[in-house]
Amino acid sequence: MKKLRFTFTLFLSLMMTGLMGQEYTSPFNHSLMNEKFYDLIVGESSGDRAFYHILDIAPYERDRKSEDYKGLFMESVYVVDKLKSYGFVDAKTELLGKTKTWDGVSATLWEVSPNTSKLADYRDLAAILGQGSKSAHVTAELAWVGRGTQMEIDAVDLKGKIAVTEASVGRVHDLAVKAGAVGIISYYSPRPLVDPIQIPNSGIRGNNATFCINLTPRDGYALRDRLLKGEKITVKADIETTTEETNIEVPTCLIKGADANAEEIILCAHLFEGYVKLGANDNISGSAALIEVARTLNELIESGQLPRPKRSIRFIWVPEFQGTIPWAIQHKDILQHTLCNINLDMVGLWLSKSQSMYCLHRTTMGNPHYLNDVAESFYHYMGATNKAFVATGVGRPEALKPVYSVTGSRDPFYYSINAHYGASDHEVFNDWGVQAPGVIMITWPDNYYHTSGDRPEICDPTQLHRAIVLAAVSAYTIAEAEEEGAVRIASEVAANANKRMAIKMRYDLSRMNGASSEDFSKLYRAAKFNQDAMLQNEIATLGSVMELAPTSASLKELVTSLQNGVKAAWATNGKTIDAAMKVRAASLGVAPLKIVLSAEEKAATKVYPRSTAKVKEFGYGVLRSVSKELMTKYGFDQRGAVNHGAEIAKLTVGGTNSILDIKKMLDAQFPNPDNLETITNYLKMLKESGLVEY
């Protein structure tokens, strides 16, 4: 009895001191990584150092001199020099061919009548000169065209004048030039209420390009008001531009794994987005964070504090798409044994100031992979351990395991796990011909995206630190995983699989339970088919874990058991949907529904298309190898003829999905899925191209 009384007293004492609070909020041990390893990575990495890289590389958007295009760019030299100073003796810049780029040389805009004053100068702010502008020396009157609609342009005599608009120059330029304008002044901003001195990184294209001067909204409003009052304003524009040829440069380094024959994990960030735009968050932040990820892991591994992982970890800094694509084409040998990719794109934004989140965008069902769950698990852990808690009446004012920087915020970690997003370099790895599943880590929304406001002051060293840790621990967990690690990862995937299927079911049940009699059958069918799609994806995701220890009978047994568990959850969810359907049917006064497949759907259940070896032999961009003749034959030579051709193709990898399965998986992912006839014809075209067999 005394022992029991002591135990109860101790329990109350722990509650009073707040030590029990952590047990109810977050485990201290992360299931996928040795906690000491996690702590070492947190302690060794630095968001402040990454922030200093941003300050060094992109303190402001500046004009590139002509000589910058002749040798290696400053950014490439900087990255490689830093890597070498951190012990990467083999760090280098790969040259992947030549490219041409527009470049501004100088630009001024002076009002010459009725006043004499300078309105804009390229030396003050490089973004004032619209990309693609041609050289010009023009003295002309200004003409207000409002939003630049055809009606507004038709109402003004633009011959020999410079059109002034509040709309984006890309929308107005061609119409205005056709009406006789010799140039454009725009004060368009995507977020003028957030930042009245923000200028977008806009431009003009085409053979009839003239020039564009971008003004800040603050200056543009003043000019607009003068013109609307009927004031006649004449300006002088002096603009010099050129076209430069330069190298496509990709700095790179490698942390060698213990097994020279093992696979690789590739981390990437785009160091260039074109060669004129220089954005602090987009994407020098990702490039700076990647330098620090490389330094942190290399330091800990070389010093023996972290065991050398079985697999190598490769880092590449690329020109966005323009460098990633030729790198993938020229390194098919590396990609043949690459497990996955992590892409850092815009990772440094001060989240609370921008009302933003650090987002993880998963792969599509066409690239099922455990990487999603590994990264997601660490996101949740970072979120749980970087906020204060109040639980069961016990408060903890401090974070459980804070990841802060000396000069950064002390904000909670704001994050979001999202569906696939593809407009960045990880899409090169997700390509059907590459098949190295890739995710993107990105801060979004970004109030300074693609504008002159993308400067270092919008970045937070603490957010950079967290981005570095998340990329490092995700990559290292996969790089070092063998049988034991694979078991942990498989268990994580299975737990998340059941959760994802339940979330999808909850959404579909809410729609079905509120359905009208007209929509009832369609929504019931969607609920059942969505569970089928989720099942296919989760089974494949669990199967992907086998690549970590392909000869392990124990892992195979576990994965099979977990897959059976997912199938059981699918069966239970199906019964729940059926029960809910019967309740709704009674409410609507209709008979319970049964799903009856059409003849077309029945035929689609019997065909299992499989990608051929030719797909990976070709490599990146294999879909573009389909001949124009075949595309015309099957009706896919017009834009919009198929919405998700790339995803249809990727869903044939492994040959485990029937054509009807592919249809269901498109329906479960996209608001505008292709119909069954389109999917079937698209697969016939790929079959005739030798890329698919069935």
Side-chain angles (χ1 to χ4, degrees):
M1 189 69 177
K2 288 183 179 178
K3 183 177 180 182
L4 178 60
R5 187 179 296 116
F6 172 78
T7 302
F8 182 68
T9 303
L10 176 62
F11 172 79
L12 287 177
S13 175
L14 290 170
M15 288 290 290
M16 292 299 292
T17 59
L19 293 177
M20 290 295 291
Q22 64 203 28
E23 300 299 329
Y24 290 94
T25 53
S26 174
F28 260 101
N29 286 59
H30 193 283
S31 62
L32 295 184
M33 174 174 272
N34 178 303
E35 198 67 12
K36 180 181 178 182
F37 294 171
Y38 181 89
D39 292 342
L40 285 169
I41 290 171
V42 170
E44 178 60 36
S45 57
S46 168
D48 295 286
R49 296 191 200 188
F51 186 69
Y52 299 150
H53 296 323
I54 296 174
L55 291 174
D56 287 341
I57 297 174
Y60 60 92
E61 195 166 62
R62 62 191 181 277
D63 172 45
R64 287 193 188 275
K65 303 302 181 185
S66 182
E67 54 266 27
D68 293 344
Y69 295 96
K70 306 309 179 188
L72 293 178
F73 285 113
M74 177 276 283
E75 294 92 329
S76 298
V77 174
Y78 182 93
V79 170
V80 172
D81 283 351
K82 285 294 181 185
L83 293 173
K84 287 184 175 179
S85 74
Y86 297 148
F88 289 96
V89 294
D90 295 331
K92 62 182 179 181
T93 296
E94 296 185 24
L95 303 181
L96 303 177
K98 296 282 189 178
T99 187
K100 291 185 177 180
T101 180
W102 172 92
D103 183 56
V105 177
S106 65
T108 59
L109 182 70
W110 280 81
E111 179 182 342
V112 295
S113 176
N115 305 310
T116 300
S117 65
K118 186 172 68 174
L119 302 179
D121 193 325
Y122 186 58
R123 294 167 297 182
D124 296 336
L125 186 62
I128 71 106
L129 181 57
Q131 296 178 27
S133 293
K134 301 295 185 182
S135 295
H137 301 280
V138 175
T139 299
E141 184 181 340
L142 300 183
W144 171 248
V145 296
R147 294 189 56 78
T149 63
Q150 187 68 64
M151 183 184 302
E152 289 171 302
I153 287 175
D154 289 344
V156 180
D157 177 12
L158 282 178
K159 290 183 174 62
K161 296 179 181 178
I162 297 173
V164 181
T165 180
E166 62 182 355
S168 65
V169 63
R171 202 185 83 181
V172 177
H173 177 270
D174 287 356
L175 290 176
V177 171
K178 186 177 180 181
V182 295
I184 307 291
I185 296 173
S186 169
Y187 63 88
Y188 168 78
S189 171
R191 292 165 289 271
L193 298 180
V194 172
D195 182 1
I197 59 172
Q198 187 179 99
I199 295 175
N201 298 121
S202 62
I204 52 181
R205 298 178 181 177
N207 296 326
N208 66 338
T210 57
F211 67 85
C212 169
I213 294 293
N214 296 308
L215 299 180
T216 67
R218 184 171 64 184
D219 292 335
Y221 296 150
L223 189 62
R224 172 202 63 188
D225 292 347
R226 292 175 63 190
L227 291 170
L228 287 175
K229 290 176 182 176
E231 190 171 350
K232 183 177 179 180
I233 303 172
T234 302
V235 301
K236 184 175 185 291
D238 288 299
I239 296 166
E240 293 287 346
T241 66
T242 188
T243 299
E244 298 280 2
E245 184 177 71
T246 189
N247 293 310
I248 298 174
E249 303 171 5
V250 177
T252 181
C253 70
L254 180 74
I255 295 176
K256 293 182 179 179
D259 183 351
N261 297 317
E263 308 89 343
E264 290 187 6
I265 293 86
I266 296 179
L267 291 91
C268 69
H270 69 267
L271 188 58
F272 308 95
E273 188 167 343
Y275 297 98
V276 176
K277 185 180 99 50
L278 299 169
N281 190 46
D282 184 16
N283 182 43
I284 300 305
S285 71
S287 297
L290 194 58
I291 295 172
E292 185 62 7
V293 173
R295 185 199 67 79
T296 298
L297 290 177
N298 194 59
E299 172 65 27
L300 292 173
I301 291 168
E302 291 299 325
S303 65
Q305 296 177 78
L306 284 183
R308 186 170 295 279
K310 175 182 178 180
R311 300 171 185 86
S312 297
I313 305 175
R314 188 177 298 273
F315 304 84
I316 59 173
W317 290 259
V318 294
E320 189 176 29
F321 288 113
Q322 190 181 46
T324 325
I325 291 171
W327 190 91
I329 291 171
Q330 295 184 35
H331 290 291
K332 287 197 293 184
D333 56 329
I334 293 174
L335 292 174
Q336 289 292 334
H337 61 277
T338 295
L339 292 185
C340 56
N341 161 251
I342 298 172
N343 176 26
L344 301 183
D345 186 349
M346 301 165 53
V347 304
L349 197 63
W350 197 300
L351 300 179
S352 61
K353 291 182 179 180
S354 294
Q355 299 180 352
S356 185
M357 299 272 188
Y358 192 45
C359 304
L360 171 70
H361 287 272
R362 299 168 54 86
T363 62
T364 65
M365 291 182 178
N367 276 302
H369 202 263
Y370 56 85
L371 166 64
N372 294 305
D373 294 280
V374 170
E376 179 176 340
S377 179
F378 284 113
Y379 264 68
H380 291 315
Y381 188 62
M382 181 74 74
T385 56
N386 281 268
K387 64 182 179 182
F389 290 102
V390 176
T392 63
V394 179
R396 280 188 67 94
E398 74 279 7
L400 296 175
K401 194 176 283 288
V403 179
Y404 298 149
S405 286
V406 177
T407 61
S409 72
R410 291 294 187 268
D411 289 343
F413 178 53
Y414 304 110
Y415 71 98
S416 179
I417 310 300
N418 296 337
H420 180 71
Y421 172 76
S424 190
D425 298 287
H426 60 298
E427 274 303 84
V428 175
F429 296 91
N430 280 317
D431 186 82
W432 187 31
V434 177
Q435 297 176 25
V439 298
I440 181 175
M441 298 179 176
I442 184 171
T443 52
W444 194 260
D446 180 352
N447 287 330
Y448 308 94
Y449 174 70
H450 282 198
T451 74
S452 59
D454 188 359
R455 293 188 171 191
E457 57 263 30
I458 70 171
C459 294
D460 175 16
T462 290
Q463 166 54 26
L464 285 165
H465 194 176
R466 292 166 177 172
I468 292 159
V469 170
L470 288 169
V473 296
S474 298
Y476 184 81
T477 295
I478 295 172
E480 63 92 27
E482 298 186 57
E483 183 181 74
E484 183 179 338
V487 166
R488 294 195 297 266
I489 291 171
S491 301
E492 184 77 20
V493 172
N496 288 340
N498 292 334
K499 178 177 67 177
R500 284 188 287 266
M501 293 172 70
I503 290 172
K504 191 71 168 178
M505 178 182 68
R506 182 177 65 191
Y507 170 75
D508 286 334
L509 285 178
S510 69
R511 293 203 307 163
M512 192 177 73
N513 291 337
S516 65
S517 54
E518 291 79 12
D519 293 335
F520 182 38
S521 177
K522 179 183 71 175
L523 293 177
Y524 168 64
R525 184 183 175 93
K528 295 284 280 188
F529 280 10
N530 282 342
Q531 287 295 304
D532 294 345
M534 298 293 288
L535 175 66
Q536 289 293 107
N537 181 62
E538 301 300 351
I539 292 295
T541 303
L542 279 165
S544 71
V545 181
M546 284 304 304
E547 70 184 13
L548 295 171
T551 62
S552 170
S554 298
L555 179 62
K556 178 63 176 176
E557 183 179 356
L558 172 68
V559 167
T560 300
S561 176
L562 294 173
Q563 288 174 328
N564 289 335
V566 172
K567 291 175 183 176
W570 165 81
T572 299
N573 291 349
K575 292 177 182 177
T576 300
I577 293 169
D578 287 341
M581 174 271 294
K582 292 176 182 177
V583 172
R584 186 59 182 167
S587 175
L588 292 171
V590 300
L593 302 173
K594 290 184 179 180
I595 292 178
V596 179
L597 298 182
S598 67
E600 183 185 21
E601 288 172 332
K602 288 179 180 178
T605 64
K606 299 175 183 178
V607 181
Y608 285 78
R610 177 188 294 271
S611 302
T612 66
K614 185 178 177 181
V615 172
K616 288 201 75 174
E617 288 171 2
F618 186 96
Y620 176 81
V622 63
L623 274 175
R624 289 195 288 273
S625 71
V626 178
S627 70
K628 290 183 179 180
E629 290 76 17
L630 275 180
M631 293 179 70
T632 301
K633 175 181 176 180
Y634 286 96
F636 296 112
D637 54 340
Q638 299 295 321
R639 185 180 180 88
V642 61
N643 294 321
H644 304 290
E647 182 70 359
I648 294 169
K650 284 183 271 192
L651 286 166
T652 67
V653 175
T656 58
N657 300 317
S658 71
I659 294 180
L660 185 59
D661 290 331
I662 292 173
K663 168 60 177 166
K664 292 176 181 178
M665 294 167 92
L666 292 181
D667 289 350
Q669 295 182 86
F670 305 113
N672 58 337
D674 295 293
N675 61 41
L676 193 55
E677 181 182 10
T678 298
I679 296 168
T680 302
N681 287 336
Y682 195 79
L683 290 167
K684 286 179 179 178
M685 180 186 73
L686 297 181
K687 183 175 186 291
E688 194 167 341
S689 299
L691 302 176
V692 163
E693 58 189 10
Y694 53 85

mmCIF file of all heavy atoms in Angstrom, residues 44-65:
data_model
loop_
_atom_site.group_PDB
_atom_site.id
_atom_site.type_symbol
_atom_site.label_atom_id
_atom_site.label_comp_id
_atom_site.label_asym_id
_atom_site.label_seq_id
_atom_site.Cartn_x
_atom_site.Cartn_y
_atom_site.Cartn_z
ATOM 1 N N GLU A 44 24.968 20.197 -35.579
ATOM 2 C CA GLU A 44 26.044 20.519 -36.517
ATOM 3 C C GLU A 44 25.582 21.501 -37.581
ATOM 4 O O GLU A 44 26.351 22.352 -38.046
ATOM 5 C CB GLU A 44 26.564 19.244 -37.182
ATOM 6 C CG GLU A 44 27.656 19.467 -38.218
ATOM 7 C CD GLU A 44 28.896 20.132 -37.632
ATOM 8 O OE1 GLU A 44 29.244 19.849 -36.479
ATOM 9 O OE2 GLU A 44 29.518 20.941 -38.357
ATOM 10 N N SER A 45 24.328 21.422 -38.001
ATOM 11 C CA SER A 45 23.834 22.265 -39.092
ATOM 12 C C SER A 45 23.551 23.674 -38.602
ATOM 13 O O SER A 45 23.349 23.913 -37.413
ATOM 14 C CB SER A 45 22.569 21.653 -39.702
ATOM 15 O OG SER A 45 21.566 21.479 -38.715
ATOM 16 N N SER A 46 23.512 24.602 -39.530
ATOM 17 C CA SER A 46 23.346 26.013 -39.163
ATOM 18 C C SER A 46 22.525 26.756 -40.202
ATOM 19 O O SER A 46 22.904 26.817 -41.378
ATOM 20 C CB SER A 46 24.716 26.684 -39.015
ATOM 21 O OG SER A 46 24.587 28.081 -38.924
ATOM 22 N N GLY A 47 21.423 27.326 -39.760
ATOM 23 C CA GLY A 47 20.659 28.198 -40.643
ATOM 24 C C GLY A 47 21.335 29.533 -40.861
ATOM 25 O O GLY A 47 21.172 30.158 -41.908
ATOM 26 N N ASP A 48 22.121 29.964 -39.867
ATOM 27 C CA ASP A 48 22.841 31.229 -40.018
ATOM 28 C C ASP A 48 23.858 31.140 -41.149
ATOM 29 O O ASP A 48 23.995 32.072 -41.955
ATOM 30 C CB ASP A 48 23.544 31.586 -38.706
ATOM 31 C CG ASP A 48 22.549 31.851 -37.588
ATOM 32 O OD1 ASP A 48 21.914 32.911 -37.611
ATOM 33 O OD2 ASP A 48 22.396 30.973 -36.720
ATOM 34 N N ARG A 49 24.590 30.027 -41.215
ATOM 35 C CA ARG A 49 25.580 29.881 -42.296
ATOM 36 C C ARG A 49 24.899 29.885 -43.656
ATOM 37 O O ARG A 49 25.396 30.488 -44.609
ATOM 38 C CB ARG A 49 26.373 28.582 -42.116
ATOM 39 C CG ARG A 49 27.222 28.542 -40.859
ATOM 40 C CD ARG A 49 28.160 27.356 -40.886
ATOM 41 N NE ARG A 49 28.627 27.033 -39.540
ATOM 42 C CZ ARG A 49 29.574 26.136 -39.287
ATOM 43 N NH1 ARG A 49 30.143 25.472 -40.271
ATOM 44 N NH2 ARG A 49 29.935 25.885 -38.042
ATOM 45 N N ALA A 50 23.760 29.196 -43.740
ATOM 46 C CA ALA A 50 23.024 29.195 -45.009
ATOM 47 C C ALA A 50 22.569 30.607 -45.361
ATOM 48 O O ALA A 50 22.614 31.010 -46.535
ATOM 49 C CB ALA A 50 21.826 28.250 -44.922
ATOM 50 N N PHE A 51 22.123 31.355 -44.367
ATOM 51 C CA PHE A 51 21.709 32.734 -44.610
ATOM 52 C C PHE A 51 22.872 33.577 -45.122
ATOM 53 O O PHE A 51 22.702 34.422 -46.009
ATOM 54 C CB PHE A 51 21.133 33.335 -43.326
ATOM 55 C CG PHE A 51 20.555 34.705 -43.504
ATOM 56 C CD1 PHE A 51 19.395 34.903 -44.235
ATOM 57 C CD2 PHE A 51 21.171 35.814 -42.948
ATOM 58 C CE1 PHE A 51 18.857 36.169 -44.403
ATOM 59 C CE2 PHE A 51 20.642 37.087 -43.111
ATOM 60 C CZ PHE A 51 19.482 37.264 -43.844
ATOM 61 N N TYR A 52 24.070 33.345 -44.588
ATOM 62 C CA TYR A 52 25.239 34.089 -45.062
ATOM 63 C C TYR A 52 25.549 33.749 -46.518
ATOM 64 O O TYR A 52 25.990 34.617 -47.283
ATOM 65 C CB TYR A 52 26.462 33.788 -44.188
ATOM 66 C CG TYR A 52 26.283 34.165 -42.736
ATOM 67 C CD1 TYR A 52 26.938 33.475 -41.721
ATOM 68 C CD2 TYR A 52 25.430 35.208 -42.368
ATOM 69 C CE1 TYR A 52 26.761 33.811 -40.385
ATOM 70 C CE2 TYR A 52 25.244 35.553 -41.032
ATOM 71 C CZ TYR A 52 25.907 34.844 -40.043
ATOM 72 O OH TYR A 52 25.732 35.176 -38.733
ATOM 73 N N HIS A 53 25.295 32.501 -46.912
ATOM 74 C CA HIS A 53 25.471 32.143 -48.331
ATOM 75 C C HIS A 53 24.520 32.961 -49.206
ATOM 76 O O HIS A 53 24.891 33.406 -50.297
ATOM 77 C CB HIS A 53 25.208 30.651 -48.559
ATOM 78 C CG HIS A 53 26.171 29.736 -47.870
ATOM 79 N ND1 HIS A 53 27.508 30.021 -47.733
ATOM 80 C CD2 HIS A 53 25.987 28.513 -47.289
ATOM 81 C CE1 HIS A 53 28.109 29.026 -47.095
ATOM 82 N NE2 HIS A 53 27.200 28.105 -46.822
ATOM 83 N N ILE A 54 23.289 33.148 -48.735
ATOM 84 C CA ILE A 54 22.330 33.967 -49.485
ATOM 85 C C ILE A 54 22.848 35.395 -49.617
ATOM 86 O O ILE A 54 22.800 36.000 -50.698
ATOM 87 C CB ILE A 54 20.949 33.962 -48.800
ATOM 88 C CG1 ILE A 54 20.353 32.553 -48.810
ATOM 89 C CG2 ILE A 54 19.994 34.937 -49.496
ATOM 90 C CD1 ILE A 54 19.053 32.431 -48.030
ATOM 91 N N LEU A 55 23.359 35.926 -48.517
ATOM 92 C CA LEU A 55 23.893 37.292 -48.547
ATOM 93 C C LEU A 55 25.077 37.405 -49.501
ATOM 94 O O LEU A 55 25.236 38.415 -50.194
ATOM 95 C CB LEU A 55 24.327 37.718 -47.139
ATOM 96 C CG LEU A 55 23.214 37.940 -46.112
ATOM 97 C CD1 LEU A 55 23.821 38.219 -44.745
ATOM 98 C CD2 LEU A 55 22.306 39.082 -46.527
ATOM 99 N N ASP A 56 25.892 36.372 -49.555
ATOM 100 C CA ASP A 56 27.059 36.390 -50.435
ATOM 101 C C ASP A 56 26.661 36.300 -51.907
ATOM 102 O O ASP A 56 27.233 36.981 -52.763
ATOM 103 C CB ASP A 56 28.004 35.225 -50.099
ATOM 104 C CG ASP A 56 28.754 35.421 -48.796
ATOM 105 O OD1 ASP A 56 28.845 36.570 -48.330
ATOM 106 O OD2 ASP A 56 29.243 34.414 -48.238
ATOM 107 N N ILE A 57 25.680 35.461 -52.208
ATOM 108 C CA ILE A 57 25.350 35.175 -53.607
ATOM 109 C C ILE A 57 24.339 36.162 -54.171
ATOM 110 O O ILE A 57 24.480 36.635 -55.302
ATOM 111 C CB ILE A 57 24.812 33.733 -53.750
ATOM 112 C CG1 ILE A 57 25.888 32.721 -53.344
ATOM 113 C CG2 ILE A 57 24.363 33.466 -55.188
ATOM 114 C CD1 ILE A 57 25.387 31.281 -53.312
ATOM 115 N N ALA A 58 23.301 36.476 -53.403
ATOM 116 C CA ALA A 58 22.205 37.290 -53.955
ATOM 117 C C ALA A 58 21.761 38.360 -52.975
ATOM 118 O O ALA A 58 20.618 38.366 -52.508
ATOM 119 C CB ALA A 58 21.026 36.395 -54.325
ATOM 120 N N PRO A 59 22.641 39.307 -52.654
ATOM 121 C CA PRO A 59 22.222 40.387 -51.745
ATOM 122 C C PRO A 59 21.155 41.280 -52.372
ATOM 123 O O PRO A 59 20.351 41.877 -51.666
ATOM 124 C CB PRO A 59 23.519 41.150 -51.484
ATOM 125 C CG PRO A 59 24.374 40.862 -52.690
ATOM 126 C CD PRO A 59 24.040 39.460 -53.079
ATOM 127 N N TYR A 60 21.157 41.369 -53.682
ATOM 128 C CA TYR A 60 20.138 42.118 -54.419
ATOM 129 C C TYR A 60 20.196 41.662 -55.865
ATOM 130 O O TYR A 60 21.155 41.032 -56.306
ATOM 131 C CB TYR A 60 20.374 43.627 -54.326
ATOM 132 C CG TYR A 60 21.710 44.082 -54.890
ATOM 133 C CD1 TYR A 60 21.831 44.490 -56.216
ATOM 134 C CD2 TYR A 60 22.863 44.086 -54.102
ATOM 135 C CE1 TYR A 60 23.049 44.890 -56.743
ATOM 136 C CE2 TYR A 60 24.089 44.487 -54.619
ATOM 137 C CZ TYR A 60 24.178 44.888 -55.933
ATOM 138 O OH TYR A 60 25.391 45.278 -56.458
ATOM 139 N N GLU A 61 19.130 41.965 -56.612
ATOM 140 C CA GLU A 61 19.095 41.590 -58.030
ATOM 141 C C GLU A 61 19.935 42.593 -58.812
ATOM 142 O O GLU A 61 19.630 43.779 -58.839
ATOM 143 C CB GLU A 61 17.656 41.589 -58.541
ATOM 144 C CG GLU A 61 17.499 40.885 -59.870
ATOM 145 C CD GLU A 61 16.049 40.602 -60.194
ATOM 146 O OE1 GLU A 61 15.282 41.572 -60.315
ATOM 147 O OE2 GLU A 61 15.692 39.432 -60.309
ATOM 148 N N ARG A 62 20.987 42.098 -59.426
ATOM 149 C CA ARG A 62 21.964 42.988 -60.044
ATOM 150 C C ARG A 62 22.134 42.656 -61.524
ATOM 151 O O ARG A 62 21.774 41.571 -61.983
ATOM 152 C CB ARG A 62 23.318 42.843 -59.340
ATOM 153 C CG ARG A 62 23.905 41.449 -59.459
ATOM 154 C CD ARG A 62 25.103 41.234 -58.543
ATOM 155 N NE ARG A 62 25.661 39.900 -58.702
ATOM 156 C CZ ARG A 62 25.193 38.825 -58.091
ATOM 157 N NH1 ARG A 62 24.161 38.933 -57.280
ATOM 158 N NH2 ARG A 62 25.736 37.638 -58.276
ATOM 159 N N ASP A 63 22.701 43.602 -62.232
ATOM 160 C CA ASP A 63 23.023 43.391 -63.637
ATOM 161 C C ASP A 63 24.257 42.505 -63.760
ATOM 162 O O ASP A 63 25.240 42.681 -63.038
ATOM 163 C CB ASP A 63 23.295 44.735 -64.309
ATOM 164 C CG ASP A 63 23.821 44.571 -65.719
ATOM 165 O OD1 ASP A 63 23.247 43.743 -66.449
ATOM 166 O OD2 ASP A 63 24.804 45.249 -66.070
ATOM 167 N N ARG A 64 24.192 41.535 -64.641
ATOM 168 C CA ARG A 64 25.372 40.726 -64.941
ATOM 169 C C ARG A 64 26.192 41.430 -66.012
ATOM 170 O O ARG A 64 25.647 41.848 -67.038
ATOM 171 C CB ARG A 64 24.987 39.335 -65.433
ATOM 172 C CG ARG A 64 24.454 38.419 -64.361
ATOM 173 C CD ARG A 64 24.408 36.988 -64.892
ATOM 174 N NE ARG A 64 23.728 36.079 -63.994
ATOM 175 C CZ ARG A 64 24.305 35.453 -62.971
ATOM 176 N NH1 ARG A 64 25.587 35.660 -62.722
ATOM 177 N NH2 ARG A 64 23.612 34.637 -62.213
ATOM 178 N N LYS A 65 27.467 41.527 -65.801
ATOM 179 C CA LYS A 65 28.357 42.106 -66.794
ATOM 180 C C LYS A 65 28.633 41.096 -67.902
ATOM 181 O O LYS A 65 28.529 39.884 -67.711
ATOM 182 C CB LYS A 65 29.668 42.551 -66.142
ATOM 183 C CG LYS A 65 29.479 43.539 -65.002
ATOM 184 C CD LYS A 65 28.745 44.792 -65.465
ATOM 185 C CE LYS A 65 28.568 45.783 -64.326
ATOM 186 N NZ LYS A 65 27.746 46.948 -64.748
#
